[in-house]
Structures are given as C-alpha cells and as structure tokens.
Amino acid sequence: MEPSGIVTLTTDFGWEDVYAAIMKGVILGIHPGATVVDISHGIRPGDIRQGAWMLEESTRFFPAGTVHLAVVDPGVGGARRPILVCTESSFFVGPDNGIFWPLIEAAGEATVIHLTSETYFLPKISRTFHGRDIFAPVAGHLARGIDPFDIGSPIQNPVRLELPTVKRSKDAVVGEVVRVDRFGNLISNIRRRDIGYLSCLTGLKVTIGGLTIRGISGTYSNVPRGEMLALLGSSGYLEIAVNQGRASALVGRNGDSEGIPVRVSPA
C-alpha cells in the first residue's frame, strides 16, 4: 500500500494545550511534505469508546494509504503496547487499548504490529507522552513510506473493546445512545440495516427516555422548529434531534444522554 502523505490526528488533548501541536511538529519534522488533518481533539479525557466511535465514523472517508494517529491513552507508560494496525486501505497508530478494535473487526483482515524498533521513535521517550515520542514519529515515517515490518513484529492478540450491541426481536430493535455531538443530537448505534426488516421507515416509532417519536424523518426541517425527530444521519446511524434545538437537553439527566436505550418498533 502506497502512503497518501496524509496523517490524521484523533486525541483527547483538547484545544487549549500544546500537545496536539507538538505531535504535528514531530510528524512534519520527519516528513515536511505531510498533510496533517485534525479529526478531533475533543474526545473526553480517557474515553476510549468515544475515540473508537469517532474513528469508525470518519476514517473511511480518507484516501487509501492515510495514516490515522489516535491518542486516547489512559494507560500511557504502563503495560499496554504501542501498535500499528494495517488494513487493506489504511494505517492506524496508537495504543493497544481497544481503540482500534471496531476497525479491526470491520476490516476482516488486518495485520497488527507491536511497535518495538526504537530507531523510529524519538531519542528520549517520556513515560507520559508516547503520542509525541512514539506514535507521532512512527506516523511520520509511515507517511514517508517506511516498511511497517521494520518497526515491529506482528501480534495475534490485540485488545478488544466491548461495545454496546443492537438487539433484535420479532417486533423491535433496541440499541442505545453512543455519542452526543456538539449540536446536542443523540447518535445511536442503530443503523438502517438493523431496522429495515420491521416496516417502511414512516411506519415506525422511536422510543427514548419515555418519549415517543412517530416516523423517521428525512431531514431536520421535516418537523417544526423546536420539535423532536428521529432520522438516519449522514453516517447511517439513527439519531434523535430537535429542529434548531438540542435533544440532549430533553433526554437524560444533567446533560448526560449516553447509554440511554433507543427502541424502534412498528407504529
């Protein structure tokens, strides 16, 4: 696989501190011609599951040969391994804590490499900033075209991440809210393919937090301003929204809506 020269960053570093910028500096110091793209630095601190959802939703839209660098790493400096995941179309660099597990599963065939060759790390490795000292330099070298097998050896037991599953019965599909975006939309883990067997979309109802929504809309403006609706979002997942409002303010407690069950059934 030829590298595209693109490196993406997904972290829980936020925008106030210098950590993400430092990693960009390391990458560009190794490969000045790289194109560095921020996917998100707004992952909640240490929230591996949220990082995994962000990667699953976004990375498939990048060109083949892109290097995706993800640092949501509460176990930094501990026993967890630094890894590189090679799929048919992409490279993923980061900690072996499950953040890449959904992508490994979706790929069908993937090679996972334990990063061990310090030749491709920075000379001094901090126990608290492997994003700078291990992952960023490896990403830079990969973007330049280094052979992944020069950086370490394949492993067969990457850490798995337990994600909520969608449950299907004869007359209902039940999932849950897995993410709340900045607009307050509640993104569930239910896809179109999960509910297609129930009925046509307009003949369904969605129940969440004691509220019932009749039908699945095509867009936010299908309902009056301030009204709640359900729709299949741009990434193919069922979401609960409010036209020009925030569904997260209506569902959940103290603004926390993640984990709340979402049920789809015939109307």
Side-chain angles (χ1 to χ4, degrees):
M1 178 169 51
E2 291 295 321
S4 68
I6 300 171
V7 180
T8 75
L9 297 180
T10 302
T11 78
D12 57 357
F13 293 161
W15 302 97
E16 297 84 2
D17 295 309
V18 299
Y19 308 129
I22 289 172
M23 290 200 305
K24 293 179 186 181
V26 172
I27 293 166
L28 294 171
I30 293 168
H31 184 20
T35 299
V36 183
V37 178
D38 297 299
I39 289 180
S40 178
H41 298 295
I43 308 298
R44 285 188 299 271
D47 194 333
I48 297 167
R49 180 184 288 187
Q50 187 184 31
W53 285 116
M54 289 278 197
L55 290 171
E56 192 277 335
E57 187 173 343
S58 62
T59 55
R60 53 198 159 113
F61 294 101
F62 283 83
T66 296
V67 179
H68 300 287
L69 169 55
V71 185
V72 181
D73 196 12
V76 61
R80 68 97 186 95
R81 298 168 293 194
I83 60 171
L84 160 65
V85 178
C86 305
T87 68
E88 184 179 2
S89 61
S90 305
F91 303 102
F92 299 89
V93 180
D96 183 25
N97 58 16
I99 193 168
F100 300 130
W101 180 248
L103 295 162
I104 294 171
E105 278 196 310
E109 293 186 12
T111 300
V112 183
I113 295 172
H114 180 196
L115 302 174
T116 56
S117 179
E118 296 188 6
T119 301
Y120 300 99
F121 303 165
L122 291 192
K124 294 183 179 180
I125 300 174
S126 163
R127 291 181 62 85
T128 61
F129 199 177
H130 286 183
R132 175 193 67 191
D133 301 334
I134 296 177
F135 302 133
V138 166
H141 286 296
L142 284 168
R144 290 187 61 190
I146 192 70
D147 187 335
F149 292 99
D150 288 344
I151 314 176
S153 301
I155 58 174
Q156 304 300 322
N157 60 340
V159 170
R160 297 172 177 243
L161 183 65
E162 295 297 326
L163 293 173
T165 58
V166 175
K167 299 177 176 61
R168 303 173 185 84
S169 65
K170 181 179 179 180
D171 57 358
V173 171
V174 179
E176 66 179 66
V177 176
V178 296
R179 187 167 72 83
V180 181
D181 70 14
R182 72 185 302 266
F183 300 102
N185 300 323
L186 311 180
I187 317 298
S188 79
N189 60 339
I190 300 173
R191 300 192 189 201
R192 177 187 290 271
R193 67 187 184 212
D194 296 318
I195 59 179
Y197 75 97
L198 289 174
S199 177
C200 63
L201 296 182
T202 55
L204 298 177
K205 64 181 179 181
V206 178
T207 305
I208 178 171
L211 302 173
T212 297
I213 302 166
R214 300 284 176 176
I216 295 180
S217 299
T219 188
Y220 303 102
S221 60
N222 282 167
V223 301
R225 181 176 180 175
E227 187 172 317
M228 183 174 277
L229 69 147
L231 78 164
L232 291 161
S234 59
S235 295
Y237 290 98
L238 182 72
E239 64 180 75
I240 313 302
V242 171
N243 183 14
Q244 300 182 57
R246 300 182 63 83
S248 58
L250 303 178
V251 179
R253 183 175 297 176
N254 298 323
D256 184 9
S257 306
E258 291 188 14
I260 291 179
V262 179
R263 188 176 191 270
V264 183
S265 59

